[in-house]
Amino acid sequence: MTRGWLVVLLVGAATAAIKAAGPALLGGRPIPGALVPVFSLLAPPLFAALVATQTFASGHRLTVDARLLGLAIALAAAFLRAPAIVVIVCAAAATAALRLVAGGSP
Amino acid sequence: MDRATYRSGALAVLPLAAAVLVLGVTFGALAVSAGLTPAAAVAMSATTFAGSAQFAAVGILGAGGAVSTAVVSAALLNARYAAMGAAVAPALHAPLWKRLLIAQLTVDETWAVAWLPGGKVSPERLVGAGLALFAAHVGSTAVGAFAGARFRLDPGAWGIDSAFPALFVVLLRPHLRSRDGRIAAALGAALALLLTPIVPVGVPIAAAATVSLIGLRKP
């Protein structure tokens, strides 16, 4: 089996189990109150870590390259409340344009 | 249970479904550029039905991370659905198998639609919204995946490597409204960059989740 299909199967199974856990285990009881803020704070560091590593990491090395311009454009567009597709296309286009200007392949 | 309530749920989720269509097409195209076959990309949207975790998993895979770190990071991103499922559970009066199936339709958008003014959950609205969103998510993934495969997008070409972080900026932005969200995001990014040179690819993402424990401190 390829790595891709393995990830598809395992992530699917894990997600199904997570979503079923509430009704299956807790019945009608609420989750412990102290854990609620932890659950709500899981997404921001994970998304921020993905932004940071996918911009600055090349394998194990930290680098600054054309992706930084893409990130700057994405941040500006996102905070101007541009639709998701505009943010993504502008970021990719900025990175490609900078590489073209710098003389590499886009 | 009456049909009108199912329909009201499906209609209420339509404005959100437009965004889901865009993300589905994007996911399909990026998943193929990260090495998944179009069929695998569509299968992932159908079985996982949680866009952010899917993007994280294929992003880590495409960057050369291990299968295990991709799965753990996706599971951590989906952990919030355990909390949402637990909150919906008391409103579901159905046999266990049916409750477990309905729980699979719980995602950020359907969860928002299912809550009625006054703090009650409508299972019918959850199911109506969930089925509409599921069709939009899986269908748009197929469009993006097969178009991506047709045009053979190379992950290094045309700035596609900038499309992934841009997408995560989109997903991150609503979480930056609260002070705790901003602190958690800054610490998560810093921790991930610090760990990048010393641990396997992908592990810095999963490790950043530990930052959420700052939620335990007294306000």
Side-chain angles (χ1 to χ4, degrees), chain A residues 3 5 8 12 15-16 18-19 26-28 37 39 41-42 45-51 53-55 60 67 78 81 85 91-92 95 99 106, chain B residues 22 40 48-49 52 59 61 65 75 78-79 86 89-90 103-104 106 158-159 161-162 164-166 173 184-185 196-197 199 205 208 212 215:
Chain A
R3 280 160 34 96
W5 273 107
V8 169
T15 306
I18 287 166
K19 286 181 179 174
L26 288 167
F39 275 107
L41 283 181
L42 270 169
L46 280 163
F47 288 143
L50 282 159
V51 171
T53 55
Q54 304 225 324
T55 301
H60 288 288
R67 290 175 295 175
R81 297 177 184 278
I85 190 66
T95 297
R99 288 193 183 132
Chain B
V22 171
T48 298
F49 189 36
S52 54
L61 211 57
N78 277 342
Q104 298 305 316
T106 312
W158 302 110
D161 49 351
S162 268
F164 267 110
R173 205 187 67 85
T196 292
V199 298
I205 318 292
S212 64

Side-chain angles (χ1 to χ4, degrees), chain B residues 54-147:
Chain B
Q54 295 174 224
F55 278 111
V58 300
I60 290 170
L61 211 57
V67 167
S68 55
T69 46
V71 173
V72 167
S73 302
L76 286 167
L77 268 174
N78 277 342
R80 68 185 184 285
Y81 290 136
M84 291 187 190
V88 170
L92 305 178
H93 304 288
L96 182 64
W97 67 269
K98 215 171 173 182
R99 275 186 281 154
L100 297 185
L101 265 184
I102 294 175
Q104 298 305 316
L105 295 174
T106 312
V107 289
D108 295 327
E109 294 88 351
T110 58
W111 155 263
V113 165
W115 280 99
L116 302 174
K120 287 188 80 167
V121 175
S122 161
E124 292 89 350
R125 279 172 69 88
L126 180 67
V127 171
L131 293 178
L133 215 59
F134 186 80
H137 186 56
V138 176
S140 58
T141 300
V143 171
F146 285 100

Side-chain angles (χ1 to χ4, degrees), chain B residues 160-203:
Chain B
I160 291 176
D161 49 351
S162 268
F164 267 110
L167 172 93
F168 291 117
V169 166
V170 171
L171 295 174
L172 173 64
R173 205 187 67 85
H175 295 281
L176 299 181
R177 283 191 205 119
S178 76
R179 189 170 165 273
D180 276 0
R182 289 192 293 272
I183 294 171
L187 290 176
L191 181 61
L193 290 179
L194 275 174
L195 290 176
T196 292
I198 43 181
V199 298
V201 173
V203 174

Side-chain angles (χ1 to χ4, degrees), chain A residues 4-69:
Chain A
W5 273 107
L6 196 56
V7 165
V8 169
L9 290 178
L10 292 176
V11 172
T15 306
I18 287 166
K19 286 181 179 174
L25 300 178
L26 288 167
R29 295 189 304 274
I31 59 163
L35 286 181
V36 173
V38 175
F39 275 107
S40 68
L41 283 181
L42 270 169
L46 280 163
F47 288 143
L50 282 159
V51 171
T53 55
Q54 304 225 324
T55 301
F56 296 108
S58 294
H60 288 288
R61 281 188 316 123
L62 295 177
T63 56
V64 171
D65 57 31
R67 290 175 295 175
L68 182 58
L69 180 67

